[in-house]
């Protein structure tokens, strides 16, 4: 059992933070372990909690980002057993099998592994979330697309009599349905979904071309070619995904969208499916939504310590608007869901209206936009205000009516969360004024704006240091503090990934956030009332201590989280 003193002795928390956590523990009834409370409050990371838990139990902690499971070890444990019990064989040392486990004290699982493998089992403790991802990444390789495609197409040719129609549109809906429900096509569709999850892809693109169909995966924000599907399998494969998404397979001239819900590797996923008629058929894009993403804590999103503390402070307010801004795919929804999880204490009525609901959160009332039924953001927001809410989340402020209602709600004692498409935090006020919102509403209702981007993280397995002169970064316009490089003759020690199998030769694995949090002060409110331009608001916020996206990204570079090239691509592009 972990005690708070262990975290203090490790230098991870202060006595004041421990006292806050103990008070929170009492509020929760005293049943929650202090380590879990410290993690939920953002004082320590889940990795540190698990590492110290292993030390208390006398069990070795294993960092799964630093190791690659040996094939002779993984071959002893089936994928089904690994997923069911959340175990991952790491290495085989004679008759001793080293296994990473989320719960290394589970003797029943250890006994089952001992019986099924015939080896002595040495349990190691690992972070559960990392363990689940590693299990999927390890075992999906057994059915990788490139290796499986030949077998699938061989079965496809032998089991399906291909139509001789020259025009795909002449194939009847019944024929397409029959081909889409044949075993080889089902297997191919499932392999594509499994590959995407194993590679942590956010989107799957199926793109028809003249002589073939290309499958591409968006991994860490960048598209990668995955496979080429022969043209003869295009119609059945697209039909299979449309059947899974309950779409009209006979309709190929109009866009459609729907979703698929599935459990893969013991985890729940939603797949948002969208079709678009193009020159050589239908293009399908599938957005992969991992329901576990909705449970990500604010402390795992890449916020620097002082920025995280400021954001948590404004989230504890009882009224006002908090906006998260950035382009599509910058993680705005994930940040909002993380905020909701933090404030979802069971004592407040939280209602959301989204287009569509991406992740379901227990204890939160979530509504979908339905324009045909008259359920727009504005209409839904009006209805929500009659439901005695404490906290409201509006998926996006798209028009003057929605923004005005939201701001009036904030002025009448509600905490409102929403997103806006602007380049930085200071542009939010100008964007709202362009919509037609009155400056007095903006200045009196908004309490904070958080702008963000996502940058790729350097791969932990092929990460290596290198040295550059301070002037090299200054030439790019990076806002380097004066003290950086002063003690090393003007040279900086940075990091980069050289590329390995773990990161698909890219040098990056995963993404983290870069943030800019603008807290609305009285001086900023006065300038908004005077309709001062965005650059004036920005300069004022900087003078008051705001760290810009550029300055935040410099900190991530100096900490070794990301690279100069990646920041230039995302922040300075």
């Amino acid at each position: 059992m972990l005690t708070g003193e262990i975290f203090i002795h490790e230098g991870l928390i202060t006595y004041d933070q421990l006292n806050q956590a103990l008070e929170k523990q009492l509020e929760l009834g005293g049943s929650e372990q202090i380590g879990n409370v410290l993690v939920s409050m953002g004082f320590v990371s889940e990795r540190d909690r698990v590492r110290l838990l292993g030390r208390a139990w006398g069990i070795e902690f294993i960092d799964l980002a630093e190791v690659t499971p040996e094939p002779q070890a993984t071959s002893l444990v089936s994928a089904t057993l690994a997923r069911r019990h959340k175990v991952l064989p790491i290495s085989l040392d004679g008759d001793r099998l080293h296994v990473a486990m989320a719960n290394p004290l589970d003797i029943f699982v250890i006994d089952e592994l001992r019986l099924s493998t015939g080896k002595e089992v040495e349990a190691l403790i690992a972070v559960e979330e990392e363990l689940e991802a590693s299990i999927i990444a390890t075992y999906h390789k057994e059915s990788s697309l490139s290796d499986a495609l030949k077998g699938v197409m061989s079965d496809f040719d032998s089991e399906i009599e291909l139509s001789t129609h020259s025009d795909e549109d002449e194939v009847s809906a019944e024929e397409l349905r029959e081909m889409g429900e044949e075993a080889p096509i089902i297997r191919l569709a499932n392999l594509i979904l499994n590959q995407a999850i194993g590679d942590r892809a956010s989107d799957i693109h199926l793109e028809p071309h003249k002589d073939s169909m290309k499958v591409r995966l968006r991994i860490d924000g960048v598209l990668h070619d995955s496979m080429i599907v022969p043209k003869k399998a295009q119609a059945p494969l697209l039909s299979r995904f449309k059947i899974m998404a309950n779409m009209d397979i006979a309709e190929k001239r109009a866009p459609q969208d729907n979703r698929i819900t599935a459990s893969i590797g013991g985890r729940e996923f939603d797949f948002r499916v969208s079709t678009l008629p193009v020159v050589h058929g239908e293009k399908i894009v599938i957005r992969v939504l991992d329901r576990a993403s909705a449970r990500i804590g604010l402390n795992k999103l890449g916020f620097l310590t002082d920025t995280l503390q400021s954001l948590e402070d404004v989230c504890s307010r009882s009224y006002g608007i908090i906006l998260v801004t950035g382009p599509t795919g910058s993680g705005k929804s994930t940040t909002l869901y993380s905020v909701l999880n933090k404030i979802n204490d069971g004592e407040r009525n939280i209602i959301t209206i989204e287009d569509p609901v991406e992740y379901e959160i227990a204890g939160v009332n979530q509504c979908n936009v339905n324009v045909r039924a008259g359920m727009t953001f504005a209409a839904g927001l009006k209805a929500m205000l009659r439901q005695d809410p404490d906290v409201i989340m509006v998926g996006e402020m798209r028009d003057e009516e929605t923004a005005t209602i939201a701001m009036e709600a904030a002025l009448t004692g509600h905490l409102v969360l929403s997103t806006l498409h602007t380049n930085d935090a200071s542009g939010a006020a100008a964007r709202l004024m362009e919509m037609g919102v009155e400056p007095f509403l903006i200045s009196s209702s908004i309490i904070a704006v958080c702008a963000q981007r996502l940058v790729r993280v350097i791969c932990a397995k092929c990460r290596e240091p290198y040295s550059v002169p301070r002037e090299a970064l200054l030439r790019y316009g990076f806002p380097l503090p004066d003290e950086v490089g002063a003690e090393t003759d003007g040279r900086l020690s940075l990091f980069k990934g050289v590329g390995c199998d773990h990161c698909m030769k890219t040098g990056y694995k995963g993404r983290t956030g870069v943030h800019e949090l603008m807290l609305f002060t009285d001086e900023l409110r006065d300038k908004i009332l005077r309709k001062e331009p965005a650059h004036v608001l920005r300069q004022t916020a900087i003078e008051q201590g705001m760290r810009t996206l550029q300055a935040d990204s410099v900190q991530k570079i100096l900490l070794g989280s990301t690279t100069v090239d990646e920041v230039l691509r995302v922040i300075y592009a």
Side-chain angles (χ1 to χ4, degrees):
M1 183 70 67
L2 285 178
T3 62
E5 284 73 16
I6 294 177
F7 294 96
I8 290 176
H9 292 155
E10 284 285 311
L12 297 174
I13 62 171
T14 63
Y15 278 105
D16 181 53
Q17 289 173 323
L18 176 59
N19 290 331
Q20 292 179 47
L22 290 171
E23 290 176 7
K24 184 69 173 179
Q25 187 183 40
L26 289 175
E27 290 177 13
L28 297 172
S31 59
E32 192 68 46
Q33 292 184 7
I34 190 65
N36 294 330
V37 175
L38 288 166
V39 171
S40 68
M41 296 180 74
F43 293 154
V44 299
S45 68
E46 177 67 7
R47 178 171 295 192
D48 283 330
R49 186 193 73 83
V50 174
R51 177 174 59 83
L52 293 183
L53 189 61
R55 182 182 299 177
W57 288 343
I59 296 172
E60 182 184 346
F61 171 76
I62 183 167
D63 186 348
L64 293 174
E66 301 287 345
V67 299
T68 301
E70 297 176 357
Q72 62 266 36
T74 57
S75 64
L76 294 174
V77 179
S78 69
T80 301
L81 186 63
R83 288 166 180 155
R84 184 169 71 243
H85 294 308
K86 294 183 182 177
V87 298
L88 180 64
I90 300 298
S91 62
L92 184 62
D93 183 10
D95 283 337
R96 185 170 293 274
L97 181 65
H98 299 266
V99 180
M101 302 177 64
N103 181 11
L105 299 185
D106 193 332
I107 58 173
F108 298 105
V109 173
I110 292 174
D111 284 343
E112 185 174 347
L113 288 171
R114 186 182 295 116
L115 288 171
S116 65
T117 63
K119 306 290 183 184
E120 286 299 314
V121 175
E122 181 170 333
L124 311 170
I125 191 169
V127 178
E128 184 172 352
E129 185 179 326
E130 295 176 1
L131 184 59
E132 291 175 349
S134 294
I135 290 169
I136 292 176
T138 298
Y139 284 98
H140 94 277
K141 292 174 184 175
E142 298 175 355
S143 302
S144 64
L145 288 177
S146 57
D147 296 333
L149 183 58
K150 293 179 182 177
V152 170
M153 291 311 301
S154 176
D155 293 342
F156 178 82
D157 290 339
S158 62
E159 293 184 27
I160 299 178
E161 292 184 10
L162 294 175
S163 171
T164 57
H165 293 300
S166 58
D167 187 349
E168 182 184 282
D169 289 346
E170 295 177 13
V171 181
S172 70
E174 190 57 36
E175 285 179 289
L176 285 172
R177 182 172 293 278
E178 288 176 2
M179 287 190 289
E181 292 179 344
E182 291 289 344
I185 289 301
I186 292 174
R187 193 157 72 250
L188 180 58
N190 291 343
L191 284 172
I192 290 172
L193 295 181
N194 275 284
Q195 178 82 10
I197 290 168
D199 288 340
R200 300 171 302 101
S202 60
D203 299 270
I204 305 167
H205 290 242
L206 293 93
E207 304 172 342
H209 297 284
K210 184 176 182 180
D211 301 315
S212 63
M213 185 176 71
K214 181 183 289 187
V215 178
R216 299 201 290 170
L217 303 178
R218 187 177 294 280
I219 302 170
D220 294 336
V222 179
L223 278 171
H224 297 269
D225 290 346
S226 179
M227 66 185 293
I228 301 294
V229 176
K231 192 69 175 178
K232 59 189 175 183
Q234 175 179 309
L237 182 60
L238 296 180
S239 295
R240 175 60 192 165
F241 282 116
K242 291 171 77 173
I243 290 168
M244 293 171 72
N246 198 27
M247 293 179 176
D248 182 357
I249 62 171
E251 179 56 77
K252 295 189 283 291
R253 294 181 176 86
Q256 299 184 67
D257 62 85
N258 214 329
R259 63 196 305 159
I260 303 166
T261 300
S263 178
I264 299 176
R267 292 161 64 189
E268 293 294 323
F269 289 89
D270 286 331
F271 301 93
R272 196 189 304 161
V273 185
S274 170
T275 72
L276 179 70
V278 293
V279 174
H280 297 293
E282 283 182 288
K283 182 181 190 297
I284 288 185
V285 174
I286 303 172
R287 169 64 57 89
V288 182
L289 301 171
D290 183 357
R291 292 187 184 178
S293 298
R295 299 190 294 272
I296 294 177
L298 280 172
N299 59 315
K300 297 181 181 179
L301 299 182
F303 285 97
L304 294 176
T305 305
D306 54 346
T307 306
L308 177 62
Q309 185 62 55
S310 297
L311 181 60
E312 289 179 338
D313 288 344
V314 295
C315 289
S316 65
R317 304 272 187 92
S318 58
Y319 62 91
I321 291 183
I322 301 171
L323 292 176
V324 182
T325 75
T328 301
S330 60
K332 299 188 298 294
S333 295
T334 301
T335 299
L336 284 183
Y337 279 118
S338 298
V339 170
L340 287 180
N341 273 312
K342 181 166 184 62
I343 63 179
N344 182 21
D345 54 9
E347 298 179 355
R348 286 184 272 194
N349 179 20
I350 304 175
I351 310 179
T352 77
I353 180 162
E354 306 166 58
D355 185 21
V357 172
E358 291 189 3
Y359 307 106
E360 295 181 15
I361 303 177
V364 175
N365 306 285
Q366 297 171 269
C367 311
N368 269 311
V369 166
N370 188 334
V371 177
R372 288 184 180 178
M375 183 71 159
T376 61
F377 275 121
L381 191 49
K382 287 178 181 177
M384 287 158 58
L385 289 172
R386 295 190 288 271
Q387 293 285 313
D388 185 31
D390 296 297
V391 180
I392 297 169
M393 186 185 97
V394 183
E396 184 183 344
M397 286 194 180
R398 294 180 178 174
D399 52 57
E400 177 191 353
E401 185 181 10
T402 304
T404 300
I405 297 170
M407 290 178 184
E408 289 173 348
L411 293 176
T412 54
H414 303 88
L415 182 64
V416 181
L417 311 173
S418 190
T419 68
L420 196 65
H421 287 283
T422 63
N423 290 326
D424 56 20
S426 58
R431 177 77 184 92
L432 289 167
M433 280 189 265
E434 285 174 8
M435 287 183 184
V437 181
E438 292 294 337
F440 78 89
L441 278 177
I442 299 169
S443 65
S444 55
S445 61
I446 296 179
I447 55 177
V449 180
C450 178
Q452 67 179 57
R453 300 288 190 278
L454 292 176
V455 294
R456 290 181 292 175
V457 175
I458 300 170
C459 174
K461 293 196 175 181
C462 61
R463 182 173 179 261
E464 66 175 27
Y466 71 102
S467 178
V468 295
R470 172 188 169 88
E471 290 73 23
L473 268 66
L474 291 174
R475 280 200 300 270
Y476 287 122
F478 287 104
L480 281 177
D482 293 336
E483 65 273 13
V484 173
E487 298 179 358
T488 54
D489 296 327
R491 297 195 67 83
L492 307 177
S493 181
L494 306 181
F495 292 87
K496 63 181 178 181
V498 295
C500 63
D501 292 338
H502 182 65
C503 61
M504 300 171 60
K505 308 295 183 184
T506 62
Y508 300 98
K509 188 76 170 179
R511 288 190 290 178
T512 190
V514 175
H515 306 93
E516 176 179 285
L517 182 64
M518 187 167 81
L519 304 175
F520 274 47
T521 61
D522 289 341
E523 187 177 352
L524 282 171
R525 297 182 197 282
D526 289 342
K527 291 182 184 296
I528 290 170
L529 284 172
R530 295 197 299 268
K531 297 185 179 181
E532 298 274 10
H535 68 87
V536 174
L537 300 181
R538 177 182 176 83
Q539 187 56 42
T540 302
I542 292 172
E543 291 169 359
Q544 294 176 349
M546 181 184 79
R547 183 186 292 111
T548 65
L549 286 169
Q550 291 78 7
D552 197 78
S553 64
V554 166
Q555 294 297 314
K556 302 286 167 47
I557 292 172
L558 297 175
L559 289 169
S561 298
T562 191
T563 65
V564 172
D565 290 343
E566 180 66 4
V567 169
L568 289 172
R569 182 183 73 86
V570 176
I571 308 296
Y572 285 83

